[in-house]
Amino acid sequence: MPSSRSLAALIGIASLGIALSACQDQASGQIVARSGVRLVETVSNPSIHGCHRFSEGVTHVNNQTQSSLLLYTTPDCTVPPGGQSTYLDIGATDQAVSTAGLWRSFSFAPE
């Protein structure tokens, strides 16, 4: 019986390790995007990799995840000539400045 308990413990530890490593590919929480007072979309537990596009341009972004964001006025997470991305910290909210344009995409800031 001791060998079956050891095997069960080993399988349990391996399963926990796999589950924890899988969670690292997602930002835990939500990103809430609004246009004025109208809710545009809520993104839950998004992947921390790549570029994420909003369904339409938004004026307000609320970062309710455990990771910092970069906001872009382009749909492909690129910085236009003469422009810049905007850093949005954990738990913060940002409003697009009218001269910069609407937020159209976001990515996660490198940690």
Side-chain angles (χ1 to χ4, degrees):
M1 287 293 182
S3 64
S4 63
R5 286 185 190 159
S6 297
L7 181 60
L10 183 61
I11 290 172
I13 291 170
S15 298
L16 180 61
I18 291 169
L20 290 176
S21 65
C23 292
Q24 293 176 359
D25 287 341
Q26 293 182 320
S28 178
Q30 295 182 327
I31 296 166
V32 179
R34 297 185 180 281
S35 183
V37 295
R38 182 177 55 86
L39 176 65
V40 172
E41 70 183 289
T42 300
V43 182
S44 297
N45 304 321
S47 169
I48 60 170
H49 303 291
C51 179
H52 301 274
R53 188 175 184 177
F54 293 117
S55 59
E56 63 181 74
V58 299
T59 58
H60 296 78
V61 177
N62 187 351
N63 181 11
Q64 300 172 357
T65 70
Q66 298 300 313
S67 302
S68 299
L69 300 177
L70 293 172
L71 299 171
Y72 302 90
T73 57
T74 59
D76 59 356
C77 296
T78 57
V79 177
Q84 63 183 18
S85 61
T86 298
Y87 181 84
L88 187 59
D89 205 1
I90 297 167
T93 300
D94 196 60
Q95 179 174 340
V97 179
S98 60
T99 58
L102 302 174
W103 302 129
R104 300 198 182 277
S105 61
F106 70 92
S107 64
F108 287 91
E111 300 200 14

